[in-house]
Each structure stands twice: as C-alpha cells, then as structure tokens.
Amino acid sequence: MIRAQRPSPTSLLFCSLSEARLLRQRCIVRRSYPLSGITRIAAAKMGGSADVLTSPPAQAVIGDPESLAKKKAAIRELGPAKLQVIADFDGTLTRYWIDGCRGQTSHGLLQQSDPVYDAKRQALYEYYHPLEYSPTIPIDEKTKLMEEWWDKTHSLLIEGGLTYNDIQKSVSNANIAFRDGVVELFEFLEEKGVPVLVFSAGLADIIEEVFRQKLHRSFKNIKIVSNRMVFDNGRLVAFKGKTIHVLNKNEHALDMAAPVHEQLGEGNGSNGDNMSVKKRTNVLLLGDHTGDLGMSDGLNYENRIAIGFLNNNVEESLKTYSEAFDVVFTNDGSMHGVLQLVSQLCSDT
C-alpha cells in the first residue's frame, strides 16, 4: 500500500528545537467532544456501503460489516489465548488534540539545550526527509538511507550529551496525553492475559517516561518495540540492538521488545515469551496511518482486525481509510469503541 505523502511523526524527532517550539505555539482552536457510548445508525455511502457507529462528532465507520463480522467470529472462537494487540503510539494511543491545541508526539517533545547539535539534527532532517517520501528510490536503497538517518541522529544525541533528566523534563513540559479509555482498555487486556506490543520508530525511553508521568501505573502485558537507549550515570552513551526506523517498524523488530513495567520499577518481567507472542495468530491492530498496517508484516497471522484513527482531514481521507481499515474512528475519538470491540472478541457468548 502506498503511504500518504505527509511528514511522518517520527520525522519530528529530527526537527530543530526552534521548529518544535514553533509547533507547540501554533495552537489551533478546536472544540473536542468525548466519544461516550456508540450507537449504530444507518449505513452511509462512501463509494460503497458502510456501516456507521456514531456519537457526535466522532464516528466509527465500518467499510465492510460482513467481513468484520466473520473476523470477529473467528477470533472469538479461539479466545484470548490466541489474541494479541499491536498498537502504534503517537496519534493512536495518544490524543491528536488537547484542549483545542495540536498535541505533541513522543518524537517531537525531546529538547536538547545545545544549539550546535540542534542545527546538525536539522541538517540531517532537511537532507533525509525528502528521501523518505521519494517515489523514485527503490525500497532497498531507501531502507539503507533511513538506517543512515536514524544512526546519525542517534550519534548526535550521544555527542550532544543527552541525559535522562532531559527526557524527564521534556515529558513533564510536553502537551501529550493518552486517549480517554486507554487505561480501561489496558486493564481489560491485562485481566484477559492479552499482550500489547506498542510499536514506534522513535525512542522507547521517551514512551516509557510518558507512561510513567501520564498513567502513573504499570501494565505487565505491555511491551515497547522501539529504539532503546543505554545510560551511564544518567547520560546517554549508546543504543541497544538494531535500529528501528519507519521502514522496519514491524514484528521483525520484536527482539527489541521490553516490558514497560520493568522500566517502571517492577522487575518481574521477561523477554523470553517473544516466541509465544508470535504464536498468537489473531491480531487487533491499532494505527493512525495506512502505513501502520505494516506493523503486522512479521507475523504469520490468521485473522487481523485493523482499527484506524483518522484524526484530521476526515473528508479527504475517509474513503481511503475505510477501505484500508476494518473500523475507522474519526475526529480524535476515544478508545471506548476499541474496548467495546475487544470485549466482544473475548466474550464466551
């Protein structure tokens, strides 16, 4: 599937500090409404029939109700023991709008105080970002270029003296929040023993700090699949393992997974169950971009229900999203609709 030509959230990690501050200052006035309760209404026409669930102004659009019903029945038959959840982080687990302002991404909130390294990261962004979306570069060559970009940027973070204290301050000052219903969803999945893999081409340590500061609790079933830092006396000195970038953010990177609760002070987790996760062949995938559908590419799944969060440009993109995803939540809706679906998938009746 062709990815839409828009700046990837991951690219915000590599923008300059001045650019990040400018993004924070551009607060667009927008009224937000919680998606509380979902009511089925008549089908809508979008180049074909679609079943719509609505609680104004957010909607949950089902492009092919019959296909979704078959997938739900197949997943429910095998039960929670065969189910896993794969979720993007920014704009999926987190809100797109916060109090009328565009929420920050975990990638864009990082602040470094050294303007020299800020300028160097900006130079890398200006060079590599157009290459990421070039339609003429073969995928193998583009993959190497993305690896170069990420590796060089990681090196600059080390050379610039990034500290864990910088990360903590950045998250504390950031305009970032989880969607309503995320905690309830995580609690339900933990109770049912369903693992959650949170995929990101950004930095695991930032995501974990967002969990720590914004949720104030841990979940033993959640793993972060992202680039992980190594600190010595609070200072960044290296990165662990293979680099995860925008073109390999899938279950091929599962070896990079680490339970988030270990990072939150509960050291009773283990990475030894990665193979058992791969044997869970029913998948609920959550993303906010059609490119996120590739997160399950490394898994030989039997059934997959893909949930898409269409946060912006709804009229222009709804048809594309409704064809790509089984269910599309529009207008920055809550996670309550996903919780409702998961409850059905894990039901015995």
Side-chain angles (χ1 to χ4, degrees):
M1 179 165 301
I2 299 175
R3 299 176 60 192
Q5 300 301 302
R6 69 172 175 100
S8 65
T10 355
S11 302
L12 294 177
L13 172 61
F14 309 122
C15 68
S16 66
L17 179 58
S18 59
E19 183 179 358
R21 286 172 176 165
L22 181 60
L23 287 172
R24 288 196 294 271
Q25 292 169 358
R26 289 177 178 172
C27 186
I28 303 173
V29 177
R30 175 188 182 273
R31 295 184 63 190
S32 59
Y33 303 83
L35 179 62
S36 57
I38 299 177
T39 306
R40 186 175 300 274
I41 64 174
K45 295 292 183 178
M46 298 181 305
S49 64
D51 195 11
V52 182
L53 311 175
T54 183
S55 177
Q59 292 181 328
V61 180
I62 303 172
D64 190 340
E66 183 177 351
S67 173
L68 177 61
K70 290 180 179 179
K71 291 180 180 181
K72 288 172 60 177
I75 293 175
R76 187 187 301 117
E77 182 178 359
L78 294 176
K82 283 291 186 179
L83 179 64
Q84 66 172 297
V85 175
I86 299 174
D88 173 56
F89 186 74
D90 293 296
T92 299
L93 296 180
T94 61
R95 294 166 57 185
Y96 191 84
W97 297 99
I98 301 174
D99 297 329
C101 300
R102 174 66 175 93
Q104 286 183 273
T105 67
S106 62
H107 319 283
L109 61 83
L110 184 62
Q111 300 179 32
Q112 274 188 289
S113 57
D114 193 327
V116 173
Y117 288 95
D118 177 64
K120 290 181 178 180
R121 284 193 296 150
Q122 176 66 17
L124 289 177
Y125 174 87
E126 292 175 354
Y127 176 76
Y128 284 102
H129 182 255
L131 302 180
E132 178 184 351
Y133 292 100
S134 171
T136 61
I137 300 177
I139 188 64
D140 290 344
E141 182 179 347
K142 186 178 292 189
T143 298
K144 293 180 180 179
L145 290 169
M146 294 302 100
E147 289 174 356
E148 287 180 9
W149 184 10
W150 259 249
D151 289 343
K152 289 179 180 179
T153 300
H154 289 175
S155 295
L156 286 176
L157 292 174
I158 296 172
E159 294 173 15
L162 181 71
T163 66
Y164 198 82
N165 188 51
D166 292 331
I167 293 176
Q168 291 175 317
K169 289 182 178 179
S170 296
V171 173
S172 178
N173 296 330
N175 189 34
I176 188 170
F178 286 92
R179 291 181 187 273
D180 293 340
V182 163
V183 172
E184 291 88 340
L185 175 64
F186 287 166
E187 289 176 340
F188 181 85
L189 293 171
E190 184 179 48
E191 178 185 344
K192 295 296 183 179
V194 177
V196 179
L197 300 180
V198 179
F199 281 73
S200 174
L203 300 169
D205 305 82
I206 292 179
I207 294 174
E208 287 161 356
E209 189 61 29
V210 174
F211 268 82
R212 178 183 291 107
Q213 293 193 27
K214 305 304 180 181
L215 293 187
H216 308 291
R217 62 152 298 177
S218 60
F219 294 92
K220 296 180 180 180
N221 60 323
I222 297 178
K223 289 187 176 184
I224 306 297
V225 184
S226 189
N227 298 293
R228 190 165 297 279
M229 299 172 168
V230 178
F231 292 90
D232 184 13
N233 293 322
R235 185 186 178 100
L236 176 64
V237 295
F239 283 82
K240 291 182 181 179
K242 183 180 178 181
T243 301
I244 299 177
H245 52 79
V246 290
L247 296 183
N248 69 352
K249 191 181 75 170
N250 53 44
E251 289 217 10
H252 291 296
L254 186 57
D255 291 339
M256 293 287 289
V260 68
H261 64 279
E262 285 190 349
Q263 306 301 320
L264 300 183
E266 298 181 19
N268 59 343
S270 172
N271 288 342
D273 61 345
N274 283 353
M275 288 306 299
S276 64
V277 170
K278 292 182 179 180
K279 292 178 181 178
R280 289 177 175 259
T281 52
N282 288 330
V283 176
L284 179 66
L285 184 147
L286 311 177
D288 71 318
H289 188 261
T290 55
D292 290 330
L293 294 168
M295 292 189 297
S296 60
D297 284 352
L299 180 68
N300 185 24
Y301 60 82
E302 295 178 7
N303 302 285
R304 184 188 74 176
I305 295 177
I307 307 294
F309 286 88
L310 179 51
N311 300 309
N312 206 15
N313 299 322
V314 175
E315 291 185 4
E316 298 87 342
S317 303
L318 183 55
K319 185 176 186 297
T320 298
Y321 270 62
S322 65
E323 292 173 349
F325 293 95
D326 296 289
V327 183
V328 180
F329 289 92
T330 68
N331 298 320
D332 207 23
S334 78
M335 197 62 70
H336 292 133
V338 177
L339 176 58
Q340 181 185 45
L341 174 60
V342 170
S343 300
Q344 294 171 358
L345 296 179
C346 296
S347 173
D348 295 330
T349 58

